[in-house]
Amino acid sequence: MSNSHAAERCTPDVSVVIPTLGGESIRETIHEINNGTVIPAEILVCIPADEAHRVEGLSAPNVRILRTDCRGQVAQRARGFRAARSPLVLQLDDDILLERHCLERLVEFILAAPGTAVAPALYDRTSGEYRSYLVPNGKLTLFDRLFYWVANGRAGFQPGNIGLAGANMGVPQSGDWRDLAWLPGGCVLHERARLVLSDFYTFGGKAFAEDLFHSTLLTGSGVALARCGAATCRVDFASSLSPDMIRYAREYVEYWKRMKVFVRQIGGSTIRLDLFLVLNVIRLVARKVR
């Protein structure tokens, strides 16, 4: 698929599933999808029925509005997965912007590696910087060594792994990465036959750590996880950070609760998790005051 004819042949092979509550960002997200070198056969906008009026203005010919009887990112996405018609299905958050060749390169990757779910490299929309969770930045300080030891024992940082504390470690910027333990859930291309179709996320409210629960279901069913370095997209990371410290603290506690469940599920250490999350707060505060 190195030329435009190859890209055209892939057009009917991809469905895009976007769970949303109808925020303004979805319009730009869909515009960027349809500005790519591979145009999907369908874009399923999965939205609760009582919010559907918010996306009535979406007019691209490949957009289908799927009104759901449920509310929640995972539940809405599962409805979209079940309705998808194409053999390849891209799960996508409603605020992620695909670069022009992103979908083409993800399709190339998955066709060359059947049985794989593959994600792109994520870059900050504002700064242009590569972002991947917990990847060390330069030489490790004494605090960093303690931080990674709490996260994963003597093994420390292991790219793409899930540590003893349940800490999901990202991968460096360059190259492809295969046989990963987890993928960030914002943008992942799947084979339809290997999708997780159930509403596996039993918690209410914001879907903290759902990508970890989802990833373990995928790997448990024999799906390999990979990151394609040549496929890139832009994410507004700043929008997920609440300026309200009280709200941030409440959300952090909720995240902590979900992670407790996840760590028990994978046989990790809840004591390490507790220490890791305390150290992570210290690490984040230190970065803010520098």
Side-chain angles (χ1 to χ4, degrees), residues 47-110:
I47 188 166
D50 59 352
E51 303 281 2
H53 65 279
R54 304 183 67 185
V55 294
E56 287 177 352
L58 298 177
S59 58
N62 57 349
V63 169
R64 258 205 306 152
I65 307 302
L66 184 63
R67 293 168 175 81
T68 68
D69 58 359
C70 58
R71 179 182 292 264
Q73 183 183 48
V74 175
Q76 291 170 228
R77 189 174 67 205
R79 297 289 197 279
F81 281 172
R82 292 196 288 271
R85 299 165 179 166
S86 303
L88 298 179
V89 179
L90 182 76
Q91 71 175 68
L92 190 69
D93 285 356
D94 67 359
D95 59 351
I96 289 186
L97 304 181
L98 301 186
E99 297 291 356
R100 181 167 168 76
H101 294 277
C102 181
L103 185 53
E104 178 183 356
R105 287 166 178 162
L106 292 176
V107 170
E108 288 177 339
F109 192 104
I110 205 170

Side-chain angles (χ1 to χ4, degrees), residues 24-250:
E24 190 61 32
S25 61
I26 193 171
R27 286 164 171 76
E28 187 175 8
T29 294
I30 289 173
H31 176 269
E32 293 300 303
I33 294 169
N34 283 334
N35 195 41
T37 54
V38 166
I39 308 300
E42 60 178 358
I43 301 173
L44 299 176
V45 176
C46 308
I47 188 166
D50 59 352
E51 303 281 2
H53 65 279
R54 304 183 67 185
V55 294
E56 287 177 352
L58 298 177
S59 58
N62 57 349
V63 169
R64 258 205 306 152
I65 307 302
L66 184 63
R67 293 168 175 81
T68 68
D69 58 359
C70 58
R71 179 182 292 264
Q73 183 183 48
V74 175
Q76 291 170 228
R77 189 174 67 205
R79 297 289 197 279
F81 281 172
R82 292 196 288 271
R85 299 165 179 166
S86 303
L88 298 179
V89 179
L90 182 76
Q91 71 175 68
L92 190 69
D93 285 356
D94 67 359
D95 59 351
I96 289 186
L97 304 181
L98 301 186
E99 297 291 356
R100 181 167 168 76
H101 294 277
C102 181
L103 185 53
E104 178 183 356
R105 287 166 178 162
L106 292 176
V107 170
E108 288 177 339
F109 192 104
I110 205 170
L111 292 180
T116 299
V118 59
L122 307 181
Y123 289 81
D124 185 83
R125 183 173 175 178
T126 303
S127 69
E129 294 179 351
Y130 172 73
R131 299 287 290 271
S132 192
Y133 190 55
L134 295 187
V135 173
N137 183 18
K139 187 176 180 180
L140 297 184
T141 65
L142 184 61
F143 178 86
D144 291 334
R145 293 180 188 279
L146 173 63
F147 180 73
Y148 287 112
W149 178 83
V150 169
N152 199 33
R154 293 179 64 182
F157 175 73
Q158 292 180 304
N161 197 16
I162 294 174
L164 300 175
N168 48 308
M169 294 172 275
V171 296
Q173 180 174 5
S174 61
D176 296 335
W177 290 83
R178 302 172 188 269
D179 299 319
L180 305 177
W182 75 285
L183 292 175
C187 180
V188 183
L189 184 65
H190 303 266
E191 295 170 326
R192 186 180 64 175
R194 296 174 179 268
L195 288 168
V196 175
L197 299 177
S198 62
D199 177 12
F200 58 84
Y201 197 77
T202 58
F203 311 100
K206 194 171 179 179
F208 296 110
E210 71 82 13
D211 48 1
L212 300 186
F213 288 93
H214 192 189
S215 293
T216 56
L217 288 172
L218 288 168
T219 56
S221 66
V223 176
L225 306 183
R227 198 289 303 272
C228 174
T232 62
C233 62
R234 291 170 287 151
V235 184
D236 184 7
F237 287 100
S239 66
S240 63
L241 301 176
S242 174
D244 182 341
M245 290 306 298
I246 294 177
R247 179 181 172 186
Y248 179 82
R250 287 174 178 167

